[in-house]
Amino acid sequence: MNLLLYGAPGSGKGTQANMLRTHFGITHVATGDMLRAEIQAGTPLGRQAQPILAAGQYVSDDIMIAMIRNRLRQPDCARGFIMDGFPRTVPQAKALDSLMHTLGRPLDRVIYLKVETDELLRRLSGRLVCPLCQRTYPPATAKCEADGGALVQREDDKAEAVKPRIEVYLHKTVPVLDHYRGAGLVSEIDGRGTIEEISRQVLAAVASPLVGNGKVVSPLAGRSAAKPGGGEDHPGTTTPKAQKA
Ligand code: ADP
């Protein structure tokens, strides 16, 4: 199963990606984490990327596409993946389409976590993160509840970087959603409730049939369950029970 988590900075992609990774036992591919690891290791790419991340801007499409091309060819992605943070531009989305085509592994679903801009700004300002497990916490939280470790503020969660991040998202990343809506792959989730409520909706969306380009397909049935007329693009009322992959 190949899933893509789509949403603005602060929409909860990382949290839901971790839930999906645990639930389905598939690999979490997070380009932001990959870039931060390069920065931490002081690689040439990390040195190049550091000021770009700190300013809330995007690393170039060429670099990001090459990074994902290498990552998806690694054996731990063979059973499937949850992608978080890529694609962030339409050229990246097109490159991913052709890569998935080459690998013979279609994208099964795009989960869109929808959160209003005011709420995003509120969540990002002063947010703290555990450097070990990447869990995020509200300002003034003492320590990570999973690791007990000290929390830090991400450089791009500082006030001066938060607004540019949202602006670049609105300008460059919102068109990516239209790209996938056109392909009939998007399930939209209200990203405002509790983490548990949102997780339930995400799992229901993944398990529900998808209406795409006139075909009804189920990602859990290997995209073969053609069934005219059924299915819905939004989880909710029917809430089919999620299954393990
Ligand atoms: P968030 O979604 O909260 O902004 P991420 O951890 O996904 O955080 O990304 C952090 C930063 O890494 C982005 O602001 C950007 O600078 C860079 N980045 C990550 N993925 C990409 C990408 N696909 N294209 C360009 N830049 C990226």
Side-chain angles (χ1 to χ4, degrees), residues 114-174:
K114 188 176 178 193
V115 178
E116 301 304 328
T117 307
D118 288 355
E119 170 71 5
L120 296 171
L121 291 169
R122 202 184 56 74
R123 286 187 191 180
L124 291 172
S125 315
R127 171 175 90 161
L128 298 172
V129 61
C130 170
L132 300 175
C133 69
Q134 311 302 326
R135 265 175 223 229
T136 54
Y137 294 92
T141 309
K143 55 186 183 176
C144 175
E145 61 187 33
D147 304 303
L151 304 175
V152 296
Q153 185 177 36
R154 253 170 61 174
E155 221 181 331
D156 58 354
D157 283 345
K158 293 186 175 151
E160 60 274 19
V162 165
K163 271 220 166 112
R165 271 166 79 199
I166 302 284
E167 273 160 20
V168 76
Y169 163 80
L170 294 173
H171 180 62
K172 293 191 176 167
T173 307
V174 166

Side-chain angles (χ1 to χ4, degrees), residues 10 46 63 65 67 73 77 95 111 121 149-150 169 174 182 188 195 199 229:
I63 290 176
I65 290 165
M67 186 183 260
R73 287 181 191 279
C77 291
I111 304 285
L121 291 169
Y169 163 80
V174 166
E188 188 172 308
I195 290 174
S199 295

Side-chain angles (χ1 to χ4, degrees), residues 8-10 13 31-33 35-36 52-53 56-59 64 84-88 92 124 127 154 156 165:
K13 297 188 299 292
T31 46
D33 292 348
L35 288 167
R36 281 184 288 275
I52 301 175
L53 266 75
Q57 299 299 319
Y58 284 175
V59 173
M64 296 313 301
D84 155 15
F86 187 96
R88 266 178 147 93
Q92 290 181 18
L124 291 172
R127 171 175 90 161
R154 253 170 61 174
D156 58 354
R165 271 166 79 199

